[in-house]
Amino acid sequence: MTQPPFQILGEDGSCPDSHRGLLSDDQIEKTLDAMVLNRILDRRLLMLQRQGRLGFWMTSHGEEATIFGVAASLEPEDPIFLSYRELGCLLWREIPLPLIFNQLIGNSRDLCLGRQMPIHYCYREWSIPSVSSPVGTQLPHAAGFGYAARLRGTGRVALAFCGEGTASEGDFHTALNFAGVFSSSSIFVIRNNGYAISTPESVQTAAESLAVRAEGYGIAGYQVDGNDLLAVVNVMREARARAAAGEGPTLIEAMTYRMGAHSTADDPSAYRTEEEEAAWNRLDPYERLKRHARWRGLWDEEAEAAAQAGWEERVVATLAECERHPPPRVETLFEGVLETVSPQLEAQRDAYLADLRRSSTTDIEVP
Amino acid sequence: MAETGTLNMIQALNDALDQYMERDEDAVILGEDVGHFGGVFRVTNGLQEKYGSERVFDTPLAEAGIVGMAIGMGLAGLRPIVEIQFADFIFPAFDQIVNELAKYRYRSGGQYAPRVLIRTPYGGGIRGGHYHSQSPEVYFAHTPGLRVVVPSGPYEAKGLLLGALECADPVIFLEPKRIYRAARGEIPLDYYTLPLERARVVRKGEDITLVAWGAMLHTCQEAAALAEGEGYDVELIDLQSLAPYDLRSLVRSVERTGRMVVVHEAPMTCGFGAELVAAVQAAAFDCLKAPLQRVTGFDTPFPYTLEDHYLPSAERITRELARTIEY
């Protein structure tokens, strides 16, 4: 694959007439609005983590075009098997902010009852299965979900994200191989953001790209400019149509850059240069989409400023409200391991709660 | 009177799968060689022919992929039934089982609970060496979120498998392959289920409680008969479900006998016998007349030529029964 990644947006924000209809004016504005919120959250939540009010955060700064391009190309009931850096998918699906914050805080209103670290989302109502930390485990799930969708003829398409580092995991291989063999209605998107924590892409593979692997699995594969929203949407639409028609899975390698650190426990200055960061800064996906919007006559400075001010206010107020909710009830610790509580666990629970009730040092409400 | 037939364990399992597939359109069987060939032990024989190759199918040779794909199918509402060809080969799928399948219900706050059942032949006594003989039950019994079920004969195999298939939890269903064909019995041909997590008293006795599961149950039956010849009255219990397990039945028995020996094929250290001994001594301490004991495989990899020395024999078990009773 010696060609450059597929691209649509020109440097001046223009696009050929043939691709203008990929997204409507409304969708362009909805994306920009959500990207504004995404960046506010990245900034605010990072700050919150630094202040010790949040356990963990991972920014998606720089990768928004890939994330929103994927979300905007799917049907609302298509499951998105998240890797972990795809907050934008939740924002595109308009999952209410309190539900997101309650998960990050792990409070009593968290749908997952505070059982996982921040960003390990799960929202069944919005077709977002559960995120887990071991990387790549979600990929075979998407192959299986996509097989079930084809078998039952539901028309759904399962999408899974992973990073270029995760493409080295065994689960990546088995997922693409199984999806190919069973012609699963699945799409696999690699966010190639250059680094797996500190490890550069060159350590993950000797091949010229990850997209070329598609050929080895007998499936379609594309490399796309991951900072070009329209290019991502264009490739995704084709992949989705093929998957929904039962014509098999697609591998998409989106070339992008993680402009922030890997996580709140990482310092990228130790492994990459300012020159490199500056070069990618010029390809900032939000700025590129904004230029495109201006080219269409949308999203003037006033609209942008209004979005920023509006979201800032809502985020601050909603965060404050969510931080007031208490932690989950202590007895929820023992619930939902199996459908019913096992006799072994029941005995452990009863003994622990009895001790808690007797304890004078706890202010926890015990049933 | 319901119709019965004389079936071995393989036929009983096949019958259970057949009847379940008939009832539940969401049920799908996947694994290596389970399709046209009907499985290397023939447990899925004839099912692809009957239910089609979209519901009963061969997969690429990758255990992690099989289980991972089954989880995805379960998330989509199917009811996948996985065969892992030998329990010794389940470890490539360990991450998918332990980190994904077992935790999905809990970590999603009950929003998703993929119903995946994994059947796998396990255990020694077939001259299978390291990699066709192991008993990996504790890895799974130690993982919250999984059920571990082990049948010991055709009646239990059919009833427990159907019970496990009706259950909403992920199940590791360990099939003792040494007695796949050897264990035969007359069983109902109709659909029936047996309750999970209930131990079964196989033989009543007053002097000592002997606990086993799977193929070892049969060795223990021999041992109990030998012990009877020496004048000892053994109560034999088939545990059947290791996670969760029926502590109440064990305690009730030990409260009467005051003694217990647990038998398993897996190595002694950190084996499931350690759990049973710890739990029973805590619950029945005042009734004990002798230390609770274990007769198990040794803390070695499973051997090839010397497997008869490694596996607990009826003689070895009988010696331990006598020692414990005479303590």
Side-chain angles (χ1 to χ4, degrees), chain A residues 37 41 87 89-104 109 111 121 123 125-126 311 314-315 318 321-322:
Chain A
L37 170 59
L41 290 174
L87 171 70
C89 290
L90 312 190
L91 303 181
W92 178 267
R93 291 199 168 173
E94 299 178 31
I95 296 176
L97 274 185
L99 281 186
I100 297 175
F101 293 162
N102 291 337
Q103 194 286 323
L104 300 177
R109 306 275 181 105
L111 297 182
Y121 309 110
Y123 301 100
E125 197 182 331
W126 288 270
W311 281 125
R314 275 184 62 188
V315 166
T318 310
E321 184 193 315
C322 293

Side-chain angles (χ1 to χ4, degrees), chain B residues 140-212:
Chain B
F140 304 108
H142 190 62
T143 301
L146 298 176
R147 285 179 178 272
V148 180
V149 177
V150 191
S152 60
Y155 176 75
E156 292 73 29
K158 180 174 171 181
L160 289 171
L161 182 54
L162 287 172
L165 284 167
E166 283 189 4
C167 153
D169 301 316
V171 180
I172 308 292
F173 196 83
L174 296 169
E175 300 170 358
K177 60 180 169 293
R178 178 160 69 83
I179 54 169
Y180 257 160
R181 291 188 176 81
R184 292 174 67 82
E186 195 167 302
I187 69 167
L189 295 178
D190 282 346
Y191 188 98
Y192 67 92
T193 63
L194 290 173
L196 303 179
E197 71 189 74
R198 198 171 302 165
R200 178 172 68 98
V201 178
V202 177
R203 171 196 170 112
K204 299 288 282 179
E206 295 302 322
D207 294 335
I208 191 163
T209 304
L210 180 60
V211 184

Side-chain angles (χ1 to χ4, degrees), chain A residues 275-336:
Chain A
E275 292 74 33
E276 182 183 291
E277 291 181 6
W280 277 97
N281 222 2
R282 284 191 289 277
L283 299 169
D284 182 318
Y286 174 74
E287 295 300 327
R288 282 175 73 185
L289 184 62
K290 197 164 81 177
R291 277 200 293 280
H292 176 62
R294 299 267 156 92
W295 178 80
R296 287 197 191 203
L298 308 168
W299 199 251
D300 54 22
E301 278 174 33
E302 211 175 307
E304 187 182 27
Q308 272 166 346
W311 281 125
E312 283 280 1
E313 200 185 312
R314 275 184 62 188
V315 166
V316 172
T318 310
L319 261 174
E321 184 193 315
C322 293
E323 283 185 296
R324 279 198 291 273
H325 299 313
R329 292 172 294 114
V330 63
E331 62 269 30
T332 63
L333 174 64
F334 303 93
E335 294 163 0

